[in-house]
Amino acid sequence: MIRVLLVDDQHLIRAGLRMLCDAQPDIEVVGEADNGREAIARAARLRPDVVVMDLRMPGVDGITATSRILADRPGTRVLVLTTFGDDDHLYPALTAGACGFLLKDAPPTDLLDGIRRAAAGDSPFSQEVLRRLVQRAVHARAEAPPPVDGLTTREQEVLDLVAEGLSNAEIAERLHIGVTTVKTHITSLMSKTGSPNRVRLALVARGV
C-alpha cells in the first residue's frame, strides 16, 4: 500500500484527488494539507511514501515545503502537481528535491501512474516538461561537456532510454532485463555522472 499525503490550497482539488486515490486498491491517502507549513508537520507525523505537492500556496510555498520535508525524511518522494509548468517553478522544485513534475491538466491515469512510479523510485515527468528541460539546457549552453567515460554498453543503453523518458519497467521490457537490474544500472549511472536525478541523466545523455 502506497501512503500518500495530498497538499493543495484548494479544497475541491484535494477532494478530487482523494476520490481518485481512494478508488485504487494500492493507494491510501493518509492525510491532507492546505499549505506548506501543514504539509511539513503532517509529513513528519504521518510518514507518507509520496507527497503530492502543489507549489503556489499561502504562507510556506510548495518549494520550501519540499525542501524541509526532504531534509527531515530524505526517503520521502515528493511529486509536484501544479498548474504552473514554467521554468520559474520547475527548476526550483527540482533543486528542492522533487522527484517528479506533473501538470494538473494531465489525465487522471497519469497522476496515478506518477504516484506509483514515484513510490517505486522512478521520477515521473510529463513528456512536455522533460522535452522542455532538455531543449532549454541545449540552448542555454554553447558547448557540451566531454562525454562520460567508463560506461558499459548496457549502461549506455539504459542512459539513452532514460533520455526518452521511459520508466524502469519500460526500460526493463525494452532491454529484456529485470527491473532490479535497471535500478542497479541507474544507480551506477548517477554515481558515474554525478547526476542527482533522472532529469540530469537525460541531459547527460543528450550531451548537455
Side-chain angles (χ1 to χ4, degrees):
M1 186 68 72
I2 303 170
R3 295 167 54 82
V4 174
L5 174 64
L6 302 175
V7 184
D8 197 291
D9 63 336
Q10 297 186 42
H11 176 75
L12 287 178
I13 295 291
R14 296 198 314 276
L17 293 174
R18 177 179 278 275
M19 289 180 61
L20 182 65
C21 292
D22 283 348
Q24 308 305 309
D26 59 336
I27 298 176
E28 176 189 8
V29 176
V30 296
E32 300 179 17
D34 64 8
N35 60 69
R37 188 178 303 279
E38 285 187 0
I40 295 165
R42 292 180 184 178
R45 177 168 57 88
L46 299 172
R47 305 174 69 84
D49 302 307
V50 178
V51 178
V52 178
M53 180 73 73
D54 189 20
L55 292 182
R56 281 195 178 180
M57 296 180 289
V60 177
D61 63 21
I63 292 170
T64 301
T66 295
S67 180
R68 294 271 300 276
I69 288 170
L70 294 177
D72 182 53
R73 296 191 67 239
T76 305
R77 308 287 286 173
V78 178
L79 174 61
V80 169
L81 180 67
T82 182
T83 305
F84 306 98
D86 56 275
D87 294 345
D88 289 341
H89 292 86
L90 175 59
Y91 286 97
L94 296 179
T95 300
C99 73
F101 198 103
L102 299 177
L103 301 179
K104 286 183 177 177
D105 61 0
T109 52
D110 283 6
L111 173 61
L112 295 172
D113 179 63
I115 290 173
R116 294 183 176 108
R117 288 180 59 185
D122 284 351
S123 296
F125 286 83
S126 68
Q127 288 296 321
E128 175 189 348
V129 170
L130 184 58
R131 182 166 53 250
R132 196 171 74 252
L133 278 168
V134 173
Q135 289 174 345
R136 179 179 172 85
V138 167
H139 289 102
R141 297 185 59 176
E143 296 183 1
V148 178
D149 294 326
L151 298 187
T152 66
T153 300
R154 181 64 85 191
E155 286 173 342
Q156 186 63 56
E157 291 172 341
V158 171
L159 183 62
D160 292 341
L161 295 178
V162 168
E164 294 181 21
L166 272 64
S167 68
N168 288 353
E170 291 167 335
I171 294 173
E173 182 178 359
R174 180 78 64 87
L175 298 180
H176 306 291
I177 58 179
V179 173
T180 300
T181 302
V182 173
K183 291 180 179 179
T184 299
H185 285 312
I186 289 178
T187 298
S188 177
L189 285 166
M190 287 182 173
S191 176
K192 289 182 177 181
T193 62
S195 301
N197 52 49
R198 294 172 78 97
V199 173
R200 183 57 203 161
L201 277 181
L203 297 179
V204 169
R206 302 296 180 91
V208 177

